[in-house]
């Protein structure tokens, strides 16, 4: 066949090209206003507000040079700051600095490590099997789903008990008759319930008996629980997120015993030893390190104070609901007195309200309280949180569930405001029904 002669551009083509190359008419940009701080912040598990000194350090470093540039003093200073931060974090975590890799948050850390370990370990032709608990964060569950759908992995799910804890009995039962998983992922503390899993015991089974890799999402536990470091938890891989312990959003840390044993997710430049390509977020890493330092100094005293405040809130809420003639609230997750099995700051409460979203809106509008929820109101299995479903929380208790997560800055007076706001919000819905 003869090749077709190129067609001469017509007037229409030229007009189309002119239109495409003309500068777009973009309206001038107006930054949306920064929202005022809530009067009472009870959503620490979502993100912990930054301390002023962290904000100041982030601002000071935000215009710094690229840490990969070794040809001028600015680049060398930025690189030195990143390495000083890595070394300082490593000393808190009692690990070699080279075992820590900076990234954009726990979502990236979980995705990278679960996927990267699974793909690398399967390279020799080992059966493609991984195991994850039912209560993991979406970043783990969705990565597992993608490994199943796109890479031919079988995913074994490990259930929790009725309080949301994943214990050795659940792990053994799920894995006893299954093929050996290459990687097992179980989080340290759950973001919704605050349930703390017995990681070292789980690790002994996974690493000691199964000889599988054990990965732990410690996003909610670092800075809140004692001994959150790889030696105490006996974990091969650990992930953290700076904004959960008072650092900036968009900074995560991956720990791996063997940093060469996972396939990188992001490829490109040689940053982070080739394990995570992309220009390092120097200001974020500096802020994360300062925040970690302050979260881990005097941690024990702060944890005890938080636990006492949460217990006070719970007992005051129970009395206030009774006084108001409302049904007693239920605490979901481990019992309040089981201090070792729960995060000190987290209360997941079945309030008895018909709709949790309306309750939270009422609390926010009428009392300035910022609290949160695992999922929006509704009783269908589509809208209930996967954690409540995994715990087997009955349908009628799933609708009015809210999460109160306190920070070190929460005062006794604020606890009173939170209690009154919950009671008023539940009463308002009861009156409407
Ligand atoms: N893992 C847990 C347990 C979390 O609570 C969160 C955040 O809510 C994440 C992972 C994701 O962290 P990031 O916001 O840094 O992506």
């Amino acid at each position: 066949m003869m090749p077709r002669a190129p067609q001469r551009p017509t007037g229409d083509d030229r007009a189309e090209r002119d239109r495409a190359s003309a500068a777009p008419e973009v309206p001038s940009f107006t930054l949306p206003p920064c929202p005022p701080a809530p009067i009472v912040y009870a959503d620490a598990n979502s993100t912990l507000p930054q301390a002023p000194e962290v904000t100041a350090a982030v601002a000071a470093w935000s215009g710094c040079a690229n840490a990969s540039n070794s040809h001028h003093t600015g680049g060398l200073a930025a690189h030195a700051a990143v390495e000083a931060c890595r070394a300082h974090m490593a000393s808190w975590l009692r690990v070699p600095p080279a075992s820590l890799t900076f990234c954009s948050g726990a979502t990236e850390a979980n995705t990278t490590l679960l996927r990267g370990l699974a793909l690398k370990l399967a390279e020799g032709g080992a059966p493609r099997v991984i195991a994850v608990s039912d209560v993991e964060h979406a970043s783990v569950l969705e990565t597992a789903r993608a490994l199943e759908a796109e890479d031919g992995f079988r995913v074994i799910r490990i259930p929790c008990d009725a309080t949301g804890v994943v214990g050795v009995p659940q792990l053994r039962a799920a894995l006893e008759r299954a093929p050996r998983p290459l990687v097992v992922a179980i989080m340290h503390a759950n973001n919704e319930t605050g349930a703390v899993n017995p990681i070292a015991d789980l690790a002994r089974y996974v690493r000691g008996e199964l000889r599988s890799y054990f990965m732990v999402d410690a996003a909610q536990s670092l800075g809140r629980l004692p001994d959150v470091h790889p030696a105490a938890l006996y974990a091969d891989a650990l992930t953290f997120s700076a904004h959960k312990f008072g650092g900036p959003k968009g900074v995560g840390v991956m720990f791996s015993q063997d940093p060469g044993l996972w396939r990188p997710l992001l490829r490109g430049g040689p940053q982070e030893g080739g394990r995570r390509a992309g220009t390092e977020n120097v200001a974020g890493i500096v802020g994360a390190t300062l925040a970690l330092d302050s979260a881990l100094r005097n941690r024990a005293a702060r944890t005890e104070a938080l636990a006492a405040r949460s217990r006070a809130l719970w007992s005051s809420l129970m009395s206030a609901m009774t006084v108001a003639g409302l049904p007693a609230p239920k605490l979901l997750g481990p019992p309040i007195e089981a201090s070792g099995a729960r995060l000190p700051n987290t209360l997941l409460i079945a309030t008895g309200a018909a709709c949790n979203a309306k309750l939270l809106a009422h609390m926010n509008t009428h009392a300035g309280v910022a609290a949160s929820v695992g999922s929006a109101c509704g009783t269908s299995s589509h809208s209930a949180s996967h954690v409540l479903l995994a715990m087997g929380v009955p349908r009628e208790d799933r609708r009015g569930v809210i999460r109160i997560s306190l920070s070190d800055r929460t005062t006794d007076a604020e606890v009173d405001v939170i209690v009154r706001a919950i009671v008023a919000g539940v009463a308002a819905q009861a009156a409407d029904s």
Side-chain angles (χ1 to χ4, degrees), residues 45 105-108 110 137 139 187 189 191 217 219-220 241 243-244:
N45 288 13
T107 297
E108 184 188 332
N110 286 338
H137 185 263
S139 51
M187 72 197 329
N191 40 306
D217 173 349
Q220 292 290 348
S241 178
H243 74 105
K244 305 293 185 183

Side-chain angles (χ1 to χ4, degrees), residues 36-186:
I39 297 168
V40 178
Y41 188 72
D43 199 13
N45 288 13
S46 171
T47 194
L48 198 61
Q50 264 176 208
E53 59 275 18
V54 173
T55 306
V58 171
W61 281 90
S62 65
C64 75
N66 191 325
S68 307
N69 200 318
S70 55
H71 301 292
H72 51 71
T73 42
L76 291 170
H79 176 75
V82 169
E83 292 317 313
C85 289
R86 197 188 313 277
H88 192 67
M89 278 199 181
S91 53
W92 272 119
L93 296 168
R94 308 174 200 198
V95 296
S99 64
L100 299 182
T101 304
F102 292 118
C103 65
S104 72
T107 297
E108 184 188 332
N110 286 338
T111 307
T112 304
L113 282 180
L114 182 57
R115 182 183 166 280
L117 279 168
L119 291 174
K120 185 83 174 187
L121 292 166
E123 273 173 5
R128 297 187 154 223
V129 182
I130 59 168
V132 301
S133 93
D134 274 345
V135 293
E136 294 302 297
H137 185 263
S139 51
V140 169
L141 293 178
E142 290 305 316
T143 300
R145 257 182 220 129
L147 283 167
E148 190 169 49
E150 295 161 18
D151 297 289
F153 276 81
R154 174 174 166 194
V155 179
I156 301 168
R157 296 287 290 256
I158 307 156
C160 62
D161 67 15
T163 67
V165 171
V166 181
V168 175
Q170 287 83 13
L171 179 68
R172 271 185 190 281
L175 295 181
E176 224 156 33
R177 275 181 219 89
R180 186 183 77 88
L182 298 173
V183 189
V184 177
I186 303 179

Side-chain angles (χ1 to χ4, degrees), residues 6-335:
Q7 303 219 318
R8 296 185 60 156
T10 63
D12 281 357
D13 291 340
R14 272 195 294 274
E16 177 68 24
R17 240 188 1 240
D18 288 350
R19 265 198 302 279
S21 61
E25 279 182 25
V26 179
S28 65
F29 179 59
T30 315
L31 195 64
C34 206
I39 297 168
V40 178
Y41 188 72
D43 199 13
N45 288 13
S46 171
T47 194
L48 198 61
Q50 264 176 208
E53 59 275 18
V54 173
T55 306
V58 171
W61 281 90
S62 65
C64 75
N66 191 325
S68 307
N69 200 318
S70 55
H71 301 292
H72 51 71
T73 42
L76 291 170
H79 176 75
V82 169
E83 292 317 313
C85 289
R86 197 188 313 277
H88 192 67
M89 278 199 181
S91 53
W92 272 119
L93 296 168
R94 308 174 200 198
V95 296
S99 64
L100 299 182
T101 304
F102 292 118
C103 65
S104 72
T107 297
E108 184 188 332
N110 286 338
T111 307
T112 304
L113 282 180
L114 182 57
R115 182 183 166 280
L117 279 168
L119 291 174
K120 185 83 174 187
L121 292 166
E123 273 173 5
R128 297 187 154 223
V129 182
I130 59 168
V132 301
S133 93
D134 274 345
V135 293
E136 294 302 297
H137 185 263
S139 51
V140 169
L141 293 178
E142 290 305 316
T143 300
R145 257 182 220 129
L147 283 167
E148 190 169 49
E150 295 161 18
D151 297 289
F153 276 81
R154 174 174 166 194
V155 179
I156 301 168
R157 296 287 290 256
I158 307 156
C160 62
D161 67 15
T163 67
V165 171
V166 181
V168 175
Q170 287 83 13
L171 179 68
R172 271 185 190 281
L175 295 181
E176 224 156 33
R177 275 181 219 89
R180 186 183 77 88
L182 298 173
V183 189
V184 177
I186 303 179
M187 72 197 329
H188 191 189
N190 185 269
N191 40 306
E192 279 183 50
T193 58
V196 174
N197 297 318
I199 291 296
D201 296 343
L202 295 163
R204 269 185 273 281
Y205 178 68
V206 173
R207 296 181 67 190
E209 291 189 38
L210 296 176
R211 310 250 161 224
S212 301
Y213 266 75
F214 190 44
M215 159 179 166
V216 178
D217 173 349
Q220 292 290 348
S221 58
L222 185 60
R224 295 205 180 116
L225 294 178
D227 295 326
V228 184
H229 58 82
L233 296 175
Y234 194 42
D236 292 296
L238 227 61
T239 61
F240 311 107
S241 178
H243 74 105
K244 305 293 185 183
F245 51 75
K249 294 161 194 63
V251 187
V253 185
M254 309 186 250
F255 159 80
S256 168
Q257 293 275 14
D258 179 356
L261 197 77
W262 37 277
R263 248 196 229 174
L265 179 67
L266 300 188
R267 293 174 190 270
Q271 294 91 351
E272 299 298 298
R275 301 185 295 277
R276 197 276 185 181
T279 300
E280 278 123 340
N281 174 359
V282 182
I285 291 168
V286 166
T289 308
L290 285 180
L292 183 70
D293 199 56
S294 113
L296 294 180
R297 284 189 199 277
N298 304 319
R299 192 220 34 86
R302 290 187 303 101
T303 299
E304 192 33 59
L306 266 178
R309 201 150 272 140
S310 299
R311 284 194 297 268
L313 192 157
W314 179 242
S315 80
S316 149
L317 179 66
M318 285 201 300
S319 331
M321 293 285 267
T322 312
V323 170
L326 294 164
K330 293 180 191 158
L331 187 65
L332 305 177

